[in-house]
Amino acid sequence: MMTAQLSLNESLMQFLEQYQLYGFKDKNELICTALNRLYEQLDHKKLQQSANLYAEIYETDQETQELTQ
């Protein structure tokens, strides 16, 4: 496993110090969970944008519409 050094503002540091209140075994688990959730959200957003782009293209492409009917 790799390590990283972080600089956090005071409110985030206080949040991190309360890791046990949120059911985490340590600060590392809290940080990794938060980063994994952010990664999943960003990945989902990118996938949604791609789907929207394909839908826009489909709406304007008569040939593709005919092929799918």
Side-chain angles (χ1 to χ4, degrees):
M1 180 174 282
M2 298 176 69
T3 61
Q5 184 174 348
L6 302 173
S7 296
L8 302 173
N9 63 34
E10 190 172 332
S11 64
L12 287 175
M13 197 61 201
Q14 289 173 356
F15 172 70
L16 190 57
E17 293 293 335
Q18 299 174 357
Y19 65 90
Q20 291 176 319
L21 293 175
Y22 301 101
F24 295 98
K25 67 178 182 178
D26 56 25
K27 296 173 190 176
N28 184 63
E29 184 181 25
L30 189 153
I31 292 170
C32 287
T33 299
L35 288 174
N36 280 326
R37 288 184 182 176
L38 176 61
Y39 176 76
E40 289 171 1
Q41 287 176 353
L42 293 173
D43 197 45
H44 178 74
K45 183 178 179 180
K46 187 170 71 173
L47 184 61
Q48 186 63 47
Q49 289 172 336
S50 176
N52 291 341
L53 181 59
Y54 276 111
E56 285 178 32
I57 292 170
Y58 177 80
E59 286 181 22
T60 60
D61 188 347
Q62 187 67 32
E63 184 179 348
T64 302
Q65 291 177 15
E66 290 171 2
L67 285 171
T68 57
Q69 289 182 358

